[in-house]
Amino acid sequence: MATKEDEQGGRNGAVQADGRLKSEKYFQEKDLWGFIHRSFTKSMGYTEEDLRKPVIGICNTFSELNKCHSHFNELVDYVKRGVWQAGGVPMEFPTISIGEPYIKPTSMLLRNLMAMDTEEMMRAHPIDGVVLLGGCDKTVPAQLMAAASVNIPAIVLTGGPMLNGRKNGRSLGACTDCYGFTLEHKAGNITDEELASAENSVCRSDGHCQVMGTASTMASIAEALGMALPGCAAIPAPDSRRRHMAERTGKMIVELVRRDIRPREIMTEAALENAITVTMASGGSTNAIIHLVALSQRLGRKLPLEVFDAISSRTPFILNLRPSGKYQMEEYFEAGGVPALMKELESHLHLDCLTVTGGTVRDNLRGAETLDRDVIRTAAEPLGSQGGVVVLRGNLAPNGSLIKQTAVSEHLKRHTGRAVVFESPADMEARIDDPELDVDENSVLVLKNAGPKGAPAMPEIGQIPIPKKLLVQGVRDMVRISDARISGTSYGALIVHAAPEAAVGGNLALVQDGDEIELDIAARRLELKVSDAELAERRKRWQAPQSHYDRGYGLLFHERVLQADLGCDFDFLLPKELREELLGAGGE
């Protein structure tokens, strides 16, 4: 929750309690520190005149270890141009950069660390406003969480999706087709040479994944929240209009500083509901639920999973994008992007929410229109009557689990099968393709100890592989359950985020081979067909796994991370009042 100091300007705000910008207190005081600040800054080429202008921080997350951000140094140049044109002084600074394909055991381990890094850089320096350059899956949520906590004027600029991959006249998308090609290779249907050709065809430009995966989902959320300029999310990374957007963003942050418009005025409860609505209508990533819960809690508000399910139930699914549909982000941009989708959803949105344009959602949508009805459907003629992600409950996940219903094979939306259990990711890797594995196409694959504490850090391994002996028989989907996450590019009957996780004694830890499990998406039910008495007996024999870490950041993560239904943030990063409400008076 905002403190009185924050509300009045305080140490976090652009405009201080005395009416001055934060940078003015650094550069215009005639004391020792004022002298030092001016002297050191002038040595970098800034002039006396520059130091009288608003200082705009540009958070550049470029890294050669982050493919999705490989073009950010060029984007920064255009942001700086916009800042200078609007009368501000741009000052670029780095934070850690989380590249989804590279970080092991999972990028989720570092989202909170990136949020802390970004927060402290914003808080500690003489900047009056900040442009947050993100794109890859965990970068945008980390930056939004930091902006919520620091609450100085901020605007998000995402890097944009890749152009469509192309092979033999077919459009390809990362990483939906990564799964498809590797499955067919495993099944013996494509050769090593064909696999290598596909590798060279999927990613053919700068940018993040070009399907409605987590990166595209979070870019859309930033725009739907009002924290990015209209149209920002879908412009392909190599398109010249991405540069134009960067320049406009640089201009707008100076205006936000002048008007003292801050993130907490924009990211209201109503704005978060808009973001959820857009996510559900888009068939967005299940990861968005964890990130939005964490963001809401940084703003001092609980966000129960029931809110997501209620919004999903009343939101039509209207965006025909993979992995839940036919097209990709390039076609989405050409069809009108997020503004066009939001225009179709006007009756489902809170239109009076403030945005970084200085106007409302209603203002921003006045000129929006859909240019391709096969990509963006009307709310009256949707692809589906409900949104993409739904919440499942039952004795197997009493605190909730998630499934992207728009990506599930129709015959598995109501299913009962016997459990085939893997005790850990290592156990799964060792046995999944064993010819002697007692499994058939009706089995339910269960993966334990892949959650926030158990895996560690909840990696995207919830798309449990189809056993090879079933693949060669033509099986391409099965019900799979875990306390892990999945990539937004994943597809299939994947139940994830089961809470509480197995590593802390959730009922998932008690499942045994042969147990019957019932899934009923329409009823929102996930049930282990084992009596309470039997589960109590099994619990007596259960032992918690050891932590993967005995020191350092990994140990901090293990000891302080919250469960999936509470956003996987660190408990000590929540505002004090909310921490006490959620976790008890001791905040533990």
Side-chain angles (χ1 to χ4, degrees):
M1 298 289 285
T3 66
K4 186 174 182 181
E5 182 185 47
D6 292 339
E7 291 165 356
Q8 293 175 344
R11 67 190 185 101
N12 296 338
V15 178
Q16 307 293 291
D18 59 6
R20 292 195 297 169
L21 292 174
K22 186 179 181 183
S23 62
E24 291 181 286
K25 301 193 78 169
Y26 273 75
F27 296 124
Q28 295 186 20
E29 295 289 352
K30 300 302 181 184
D31 59 4
L32 172 63
W33 281 107
F35 180 96
I36 292 172
H37 295 148
R38 289 188 297 274
S39 178
F40 276 61
T41 308
K42 287 177 180 178
S43 75
M44 295 187 289
Y46 296 96
T47 66
E48 188 77 32
E49 181 183 2
D50 293 334
L51 301 185
R52 294 193 182 98
K53 298 174 181 177
V55 175
I56 303 301
I58 302 174
C59 180
N60 182 7
T61 53
F62 166 81
S63 168
E64 291 182 345
L65 292 171
N66 189 343
K67 172 265 181 293
C68 304
H69 295 195
S70 61
H71 58 304
F72 275 22
N73 286 340
E74 181 190 26
L75 281 183
V76 166
D77 290 339
Y78 288 92
V79 174
K80 288 179 177 178
R81 179 190 292 180
V83 172
W84 283 118
Q85 288 175 355
V89 175
M91 288 188 172
E92 180 183 348
F93 67 91
T95 66
I96 62 169
S97 184
I98 308 174
E100 195 73 19
Y102 304 110
I103 290 174
K104 308 299 180 189
T106 168
S107 64
M108 192 63 181
L109 182 68
L110 301 182
R111 183 203 64 179
N112 297 345
L113 182 61
M114 183 178 178
M116 293 167 70
D117 183 4
T118 307
E119 174 179 346
E120 298 308 325
M121 290 293 287
M122 290 168 64
R123 195 184 299 281
H125 289 91
I127 56 176
D128 303 309
V130 64
V131 178
L132 300 165
L133 268 72
C136 200
D137 295 15
K138 308 303 177 294
T139 61
V140 173
Q143 291 174 329
L144 288 170
M145 289 160 67
S149 294
V150 181
N151 200 35
I152 65 171
I155 189 169
V156 171
L157 174 66
T158 50
M162 290 183 275
L163 296 173
N164 289 347
R166 299 292 296 171
K167 181 174 169 60
N168 300 330
R170 171 186 165 196
S171 285
L172 302 177
C175 260
T176 298
D177 285 306
C178 306
Y179 296 114
F181 281 116
T182 52
L183 271 179
E184 296 308 320
H185 181 260
K186 181 178 174 181
N189 295 328
I190 64 174
T191 66
D192 290 351
E193 292 75 17
E194 289 170 323
L195 187 69
S197 175
E199 290 168 5
N200 295 334
S201 304
V202 171
C203 301
R204 67 183 186 99
S205 77
D206 290 332
H208 59 68
C209 293
Q210 63 274 69
V211 301
M212 188 49 71
T214 304
S216 296
T217 299
M218 292 311 304
S220 301
I221 281 173
E223 193 174 325
L225 276 171
M227 286 295 293
L229 289 175
C232 180
I235 305 171
D239 195 300
S240 61
R241 286 163 286 192
R242 175 63 56 185
R243 299 168 186 164
H244 303 164
M245 179 61 69
E247 182 178 299
R248 287 175 52 210
T249 299
K251 290 179 180 178
M252 188 54 64
I253 188 59
V254 178
E255 182 64 19
L256 290 170
V257 169
R258 287 184 173 137
R259 295 178 60 177
D260 195 24
I261 296 176
R262 309 189 197 183
R264 290 179 196 160
E265 297 175 70
I266 295 171
M267 294 191 288
T268 61
E269 183 176 358
L272 282 163
E273 290 184 0
N274 285 348
I276 297 170
T277 299
V278 167
T279 301
M280 297 306 175
S282 304
S285 170
T286 52
N287 285 315
I289 280 73
I290 281 181
H291 300 320
L292 284 168
V293 170
L295 177 59
S296 182
Q297 290 173 175
R298 288 293 186 100
L299 293 162
R301 295 186 296 269
K302 292 189 293 184
L303 186 52
L305 294 183
E306 283 74 17
V307 173
F308 292 92
D309 201 54
I311 292 175
S312 181
S313 295
R314 64 176 183 256
T315 301
F317 168 47
I318 63 172
L319 184 59
N320 195 9
L321 254 62
R322 304 177 75 199
S324 298
K326 177 181 178 182
Y327 299 104
Q328 301 188 148
M329 290 296 287
E330 194 172 336
E331 289 86 5
Y332 188 23
F333 170 60
E334 293 167 356
V338 175
L341 180 116
M342 292 179 71
K343 186 71 173 178
E344 302 298 336
L345 296 170
E346 274 189 308
S347 63
H348 297 266
L349 298 174
H350 302 284
L351 298 176
D352 293 326
C353 292
L354 180 67
T355 74
V356 290
T357 65
T360 64
V361 172
R362 179 182 285 104
D363 297 331
N364 296 345
L365 296 183
R366 285 204 174 102
E369 60 176 329
T370 297
L371 302 177
D372 189 331
R373 282 284 174 215
D374 198 34
V375 178
I376 304 173
R377 303 294 178 86
T378 66
E381 297 181 337
L383 292 159
S385 61
Q386 296 185 349
V389 180
V390 298
V391 178
L392 305 172
R393 290 190 186 272
N395 66 348
L396 197 51
N399 290 356
S401 59
L402 305 178
I403 190 167
K404 187 187 287 189
Q405 63 175 343
T406 51
V408 175
S409 300
E410 194 64 36
H411 71 284
L412 294 175
K413 290 185 175 180
R414 185 174 182 179
H415 181 80
T416 299
R418 61 182 182 85
V420 176
V421 178
F422 302 97
E423 294 294 331
S424 68
D427 181 37
M428 178 187 73
E429 188 173 339
R431 295 196 296 120
I432 190 69
D433 291 328
D434 185 343
E436 300 303 315
L437 185 68
D438 185 13
V439 64
D440 60 39
E441 63 185 279
N442 295 311
S443 300
V444 175
L445 304 181
V446 177
L447 172 61
K448 303 178 184 179
N449 295 307
K453 294 180 184 288
M458 207 179 180
E460 290 181 344
I461 55 175
Q463 188 161 0
I464 302 169
I466 304 294
K468 184 173 182 178
K469 71 179 186 180
L470 298 182
L471 270 180
V472 298
Q473 296 172 21
V475 177
R476 290 297 181 270
D477 197 8
M478 298 174 68
V479 175
R480 287 159 276 179
I481 302 171
S482 70
D483 44 15
R485 296 180 300 114
I486 50 172
S487 167
T489 64
S490 298
Y491 54 89
L494 311 175
I495 301 164
V496 290
H497 302 199
E501 64 174 307
V504 299
N507 281 351
L508 188 69
L510 309 180
V511 183
Q512 296 180 359
D513 284 334
D515 289 347
E516 277 206 338
I517 296 175
E518 179 188 8
L519 165 66
D520 188 335
I521 292 178
R524 306 294 196 259
R525 187 168 66 249
L526 180 64
E527 201 72 26
L528 177 64
K529 298 295 188 177
V530 175
S531 69
D532 290 344
E534 172 61 20
L535 290 177
E537 285 300 313
R538 293 182 187 181
R539 186 171 298 283
K540 292 176 183 177
R541 300 189 296 271
W542 176 78
Q543 292 183 334
Q546 286 189 325
S547 170
H548 293 267
Y549 300 100
D550 60 10
R551 61 168 298 279
Y553 176 75
L555 183 60
L556 172 69
F557 187 97
H558 178 84
E559 291 181 345
R560 306 310 290 265
V561 71
L562 297 169
Q563 287 292 292
D565 59 307
L566 294 179
C568 291
D569 203 355
F570 291 152
D571 54 10
F572 59 84
L573 293 176
L574 272 58
K576 182 174 182 292
E577 296 86 349
L578 184 61
R579 184 166 69 245
E580 292 176 351
E581 181 181 352
L582 289 173
L583 306 174
E588 297 294 338

